[in-house]
Amino acid sequence: MGEDRLSAAEQLAQRYRSLVEHTPDGICVHERGTIVYVNPAMVRMLAASGPEELVGRPLIQFVHPDSVPGMLDRISRLTRAGAASPPAEMKLTRLDGTHVPVETVSVLTVWHDQAAYQVVIHDLTAQRAAEAAQRRAEQHFTTVVSQLEEGVTVIDRDGRIESVNPAARRIFGIEDAGDLTGVTIVDLPLTLLDANAQPMPTSRHPVARTLATGETITGYVFGVDRSDGQRRWLSGSSRLLNPGDPDSSAVSSFADITEFRASRRHLEYQATHDSLTGLANRSLILSQLAGALAASEDQPVSVVMFIDLDGFKAINDTLGHAIGDTVLQIVAQRLQRALRGDDIVGRLGGDEFLVLLSGRTRQADLDALVMRLQSTMAEPIVARGHRIEVNASIGVTALHPGDRRTPEAVLHDADVAMYRAKPTGHREGTIGAARRPNNTHAS
């Protein structure tokens, strides 16, 4: 049985030696400050060709001078066999004179019946390189984010701003980052607006939805009314900073599209409005009329009025197109002043105007409106020193629930009604499918 126990002990010792020889961490045993054992990993760590270059030499020879006091203090505290020092970082000096960062743990042990210290040494070179690379990446990221024209903010689960880049501060009209960091969205010194310029509760902002659901939201438009009175329009997106973390903050990024939005609205306005008078053009009028005809419930438009200026061609021919344009602008202004804000006034071209009356209109009120418009149009116009009298012929067609006409058909019916209302001396051609020639365009 003694031989069996000895054999088992030898097997255990052999396994331990194999573990020590193959471990990637360096292992060194020193006795009274002299190295008595090193494993292969320690040989490689100190750039030695073999254990013989290290065994028998003072341990302190391989410790960076700055690390010696701490090492001596730690091993002095080990007073009983098996006691271990806490992990500590230090630098070793290799045979080639270079230094290697390591983490060490010293254990008071027995070596050939003598007190000795076994040191387990973990090489931190790869970890330090990874940390340095991460710091560089973070610095690069910070530099890039700080240079972006796009605003970027990080918002935690409680709606507090954790970080904000310079572009975001500039867009918000806030120069000092300290005025934003730690502030909740609710307490921001600005008012959030939805895409329709209506105040938007913070609970409805897409970043709140991202924090609640983890959903990534892109391409939404919102506005901010700043404390300096400016209104900025932003195109934003929001996503979780760390999608796999249930407690992740959200990243909100946004670009200032105020000028672009204004430019687009200007282009849209140009595409739907008459350049001379600023009234709705034919395209917008037909679009509004189509929407009214398609309404399934209360019809937003009850009456369509076609207005034509009598004898306008003579103004162009005798006084010139510049004065003709001035007359058209004054007529447009008079029409807008004479009608309600909900009514739509448009210019079809030349001296032809169209009015869409909103809501229900009684016949008596309609007759009175026609007379008032004719009276308004008949008031003399003074243009560039010329006193000009202009009369208007007005044709009326009513819209009815379920009206099956197309916008063009409604326009034709109103045109025919106007032509019938025109004084005999101002009529041209005949009424029919072919509209009378119209060569009265001023511009």
Side-chain angles (χ1 to χ4, degrees):
M1 292 182 64
E3 291 179 357
D4 291 341
R5 284 196 298 272
L6 182 60
S7 176
E10 288 177 345
Q11 290 178 12
L12 181 61
Q14 184 176 1
R15 290 174 183 170
Y16 179 74
R17 282 194 299 272
S18 177
L19 177 64
V20 169
E21 292 292 313
H22 292 92
T23 180
D25 287 334
I27 294 179
C28 168
V29 178
H30 60 94
E31 182 181 339
R32 291 191 295 274
T34 301
I35 297 174
V36 295
Y37 171 80
V38 289
N39 72 341
M42 191 66 191
V43 172
R44 293 191 298 272
M45 193 179 301
L46 294 179
S49 58
E52 63 277 2
E53 285 194 85
L54 304 176
V55 174
R57 300 177 68 171
L59 173 67
I60 200 171
Q61 183 178 343
F62 301 100
V63 179
H64 189 282
D66 293 344
S67 299
V68 171
M71 179 192 72
L72 296 177
D73 178 67
R74 286 190 296 276
I75 62 177
S76 69
R77 296 173 184 273
L78 305 179
T79 58
R80 57 182 178 80
S85 67
E89 293 185 9
M90 58 186 295
K91 286 184 182 178
L92 299 183
T93 302
R94 295 153 52 105
L95 286 175
D96 58 9
T98 60
H99 303 293
V100 53
V102 297
E103 183 181 71
T104 66
V105 174
S106 297
V107 181
L108 182 59
T109 186
V110 176
W111 181 265
H112 297 301
D113 299 326
Q114 297 293 326
Y117 298 94
Q118 176 179 302
V119 187
V120 180
I121 305 170
H122 178 65
D123 190 341
L124 297 177
T125 303
Q127 179 180 330
R128 289 289 183 267
E131 291 171 350
Q134 182 176 355
R135 283 194 299 272
R136 287 194 300 273
E138 290 174 349
Q139 290 171 353
H140 292 165
F141 176 78
T142 300
T143 301
V144 169
V145 171
S146 67
Q147 297 299 318
L148 286 176
E149 289 297 318
E150 186 178 50
V152 179
T153 61
V154 178
I155 302 169
D156 69 14
R157 309 297 299 185
D158 296 324
R160 288 186 175 85
I161 294 178
E162 294 182 333
S163 64
V164 55
N165 75 338
R169 298 200 306 272
R170 184 173 62 253
I171 291 170
F172 290 158
I174 301 170
E175 294 300 325
D176 187 357
D179 291 342
L180 287 177
T181 305
V183 175
T184 63
I185 303 176
V186 177
D187 296 326
L188 284 174
L190 45 83
T191 301
L192 297 177
L193 307 171
D194 63 21
N196 297 315
Q198 297 301 310
M200 177 172 57
T202 55
S203 59
R204 283 180 48 214
H205 193 281
V207 74
R209 197 166 88 196
T210 293
L211 286 169
T213 67
E215 179 183 0
T216 295
I217 308 172
T218 60
Y220 56 83
V221 174
F222 68 104
V224 291
D225 279 345
R226 306 187 336 183
S227 58
D228 61 4
Q230 286 193 43
R231 173 171 293 179
R232 310 303 294 179
W233 288 102
L234 313 174
S235 174
S237 64
S238 59
R239 53 180 52 83
L240 290 181
L241 183 62
N242 299 302
D245 181 2
D247 297 322
S248 172
S249 300
V251 178
S252 174
S253 57
F254 39 87
D256 191 333
I257 60 169
T258 306
E259 283 72 26
F260 169 77
R261 183 181 171 100
S263 175
R264 188 182 67 180
R265 285 185 175 275
H266 179 64
L267 290 175
E268 290 173 350
Y269 181 88
Q270 287 182 317
T272 56
H273 288 76
D274 175 53
S275 60
L276 177 64
T277 63
L279 298 179
N281 63 12
R282 183 186 186 92
S283 174
L284 180 56
I285 283 287
L286 290 177
S287 174
Q288 296 288 338
L289 189 51
L293 290 168
S296 57
E297 298 179 359
D298 292 339
Q299 227 161 4
V301 174
S302 60
V303 172
V304 176
M305 304 174 66
F306 197 114
I307 302 174
D308 183 85
L309 304 183
D310 299 331
F312 182 75
K313 182 177 182 300
I315 297 174
N316 277 339
D317 292 343
T318 59
L319 301 178
H321 286 272
I323 290 181
D325 286 350
T326 301
V327 169
L328 291 174
Q329 291 171 333
I330 293 174
V331 167
Q333 294 168 5
R334 289 181 177 181
L335 283 173
Q336 287 179 305
R337 287 197 299 266
L339 295 165
R340 298 165 300 182
D342 293 340
D343 299 329
I344 299 173
V345 185
R347 181 189 175 208
L348 298 179
D351 62 340
E352 297 175 342
F353 298 85
L354 203 71
V355 174
L356 307 183
L357 296 182
S358 64
R360 297 182 180 276
T361 305
R362 296 183 305 173
Q363 186 61 46
D365 294 335
L366 181 58
D367 293 339
L369 175 60
V370 170
M371 291 180 64
R372 186 170 74 250
L373 289 177
Q374 288 176 325
S375 176
T376 299
M377 294 298 103
E379 294 177 3
I381 294 174
V382 177
R384 302 190 182 188
H386 296 277
R387 182 183 175 88
I388 304 168
E389 294 186 0
V390 177
N391 294 309
S393 296
I394 302 176
V396 176
T397 184
L399 301 187
H400 306 285
D403 202 318
R404 292 183 173 275
R405 288 177 296 175
T406 64
E408 289 78 6
V410 172
L411 190 61
H412 175 267
D413 291 346
D415 186 7
V416 170
M418 181 278 302
Y419 191 64
R420 286 175 176 159
K422 187 177 285 288
T424 304
H426 291 281
R427 294 184 181 179
E428 300 173 8
T430 58
I431 300 173
R435 173 76 169 94
R436 70 195 189 290
N438 185 354
N439 55 4
T440 62
H441 296 269
S443 61

